[in-house]
Amino acid sequence: MKVFNKIVDLQNELFYARKEGKSIGLVPTMGALHEGHASLVERSVKDNDITVVSVFLNPTQFNDKGDLDRYPRTLDDDCKLIEKCGADYVFAPSVKEMYPSEDKRHFEFPPVSTVMEGARRPGHFNGVCQVVSRLFYIARPNCAYFGEKDWQQIAVIKQLVKYIGSDVKIIECPIIRESDGLAKSSRNTLLTADERAIAPAIFKSLSASVEYAMSHSISETRDKVVKEINAVEGLDVEYFEIVDGNTLQNVSDWNSSDYIVGCITVNCGKTPIRLIDHIKYKEHKI
């Protein structure tokens, strides 16, 4: 496995791979990798001749500098995990390499980029689109792999692909969870032992709500989940929205869509760590 820090070096390497007709898979990450990321890398290795994993903590998608400062940085360990998964290249550029000048491009794809995370983290999805579009330009992958934990992000990236006219195929990969149900996340490493102990209550409540929803309204289901999670000391629901899985707009009843998803963000602990998760109530996609 080779590690590149410069765009031109990675592009030169991929030029020859592409010339030989090899398929290229890209796994964009911000580092602090875990088993969830590993599943994306392994899927790309299985699907493609060449796999590139980017490790870049993108500052333009953080609207809270404190959140950026707290984000774990573990490049050496990340590279070991990536190599173990069978990837060919790691791309770990500096901020100056990725952004030699200010990126003034502005991406907005309402309604998918303006609700939920988009409404509460101004500029977040614009920053995501800035870096992902750059990575697509640099690597020119056939396929790019993203985890379903960041479910709304995938919807935004699909809109980005259409907007920039890219032919990259977006591959959605299932959430990888801890044995107690907590979604694997780089932010989990920031939880104290006490916070980690209460965090699984989020998915426990989401899971139980699926059966509850069969005999209750959307508003009743939403209220039940929020009440249960907020009853756990140290957890505070920032939002829980039950939406159409294609438009990301709130639904009024269970018959209004064939694809309905509950999306939640919970603040955990005194110095809140934002934990994101979702549950699918109906899964038919159009």
Side-chain angles (χ1 to χ4, degrees):
M1 187 185 75
K2 295 181 180 180
V3 180
F4 295 104
N5 305 117
K6 298 294 184 181
I7 292 171
V8 66
D9 293 336
L10 176 64
Q11 287 181 320
N12 287 341
E13 189 83 9
L14 294 179
F15 171 80
Y16 292 104
R18 202 174 287 108
K19 192 174 181 180
E20 294 172 3
K22 294 182 178 179
S23 61
I24 298 170
L26 172 68
V27 183
T29 83
M30 292 204 301
L33 306 189
H34 50 69
E35 290 90 339
H37 296 104
S39 70
L40 305 183
V41 179
E42 290 168 351
R43 173 71 184 274
S44 178
V45 169
K46 179 182 177 181
D47 292 351
N48 301 280
D49 300 312
I50 299 291
T51 290
V52 180
V53 182
S54 64
V55 180
F56 178 65
L57 186 53
N58 177 40
T60 71
Q61 68 190 71
F62 285 82
N63 62 314
D64 179 353
K65 187 178 183 300
D67 193 20
L68 173 62
D69 292 340
R70 288 193 302 270
Y71 200 91
R73 294 157 171 84
T74 58
L75 180 58
D76 289 344
D77 288 340
D78 293 343
C79 288
K80 291 176 183 176
L81 177 61
I82 293 166
E83 185 170 27
K84 183 179 180 181
C85 292
D88 302 276
Y89 307 123
V90 171
F91 179 49
S94 65
V95 173
K96 187 175 181 180
E97 180 71 10
M98 284 296 284
Y99 298 107
S101 59
E102 182 183 358
D103 192 336
K104 296 183 178 181
R105 297 174 302 158
H106 184 73
F107 299 93
E108 196 73 272
F109 305 112
V112 296
S113 67
T114 56
V115 297
M116 296 185 293
E117 289 297 289
R120 292 162 177 83
R121 301 177 66 186
H124 169 66
F125 285 128
N126 182 57
V128 169
C129 290
Q130 285 178 344
V131 72
V132 170
S133 61
R134 284 177 181 265
L135 290 170
F136 286 172
Y137 172 77
I138 291 165
R140 291 176 55 199
N142 301 94
C143 299
Y145 296 78
F146 296 89
E148 284 190 341
K149 185 184 77 68
D150 296 311
W151 184 80
Q152 185 180 4
Q153 176 177 276
I154 293 175
V156 172
I157 289 171
K158 286 181 176 179
Q159 293 296 313
L160 170 68
V161 168
K162 293 178 183 178
Y163 179 75
I164 64 178
S166 173
D167 59 359
V168 62
K169 184 177 181 181
I170 303 302
I171 308 297
E172 305 173 44
C173 299
I175 293 178
I176 303 299
R177 298 185 180 277
E178 303 283 0
S179 59
D180 56 14
L182 180 64
K184 296 270 189 180
S185 171
S186 301
R187 295 179 188 274
N188 292 352
T189 62
L190 301 176
L191 298 172
T192 66
D194 288 343
E195 291 164 354
R196 176 62 185 82
I198 62 175
I202 301 168
F203 186 62
K204 181 180 179 181
S205 181
L206 289 177
S207 298
S209 74
V210 174
E211 182 175 353
Y212 182 85
M214 294 178 183
S215 56
H216 294 80
S217 70
I218 283 180
S219 61
E220 289 171 330
T221 303
R222 183 190 299 113
D223 291 346
K224 178 179 185 291
V225 169
V226 172
K227 183 178 180 180
E228 284 181 352
I229 295 175
N230 283 344
V232 178
E233 185 176 356
L235 297 181
D236 180 36
V237 176
E238 186 172 320
Y239 67 83
F240 177 50
E241 304 289 350
I242 299 178
V243 302
D244 180 286
N246 296 298
T247 68
L248 275 65
Q249 295 297 287
N250 287 313
V251 291
S252 57
D253 64 74
W254 298 115
N255 295 320
S256 60
S257 174
D258 291 328
Y259 184 24
I260 298 179
V261 183
C263 302
I264 196 165
T265 291
V266 179
N267 291 299
C268 182
K270 293 182 179 179
T271 304
I273 304 301
R274 297 178 83 250
L275 301 178
I276 298 171
D277 209 335
H278 71 272
I279 195 78
K280 294 177 182 177
Y281 293 104
K282 298 173 72 174
E283 299 189 49
H284 178 69
K285 299 182 183 182
I286 61 173

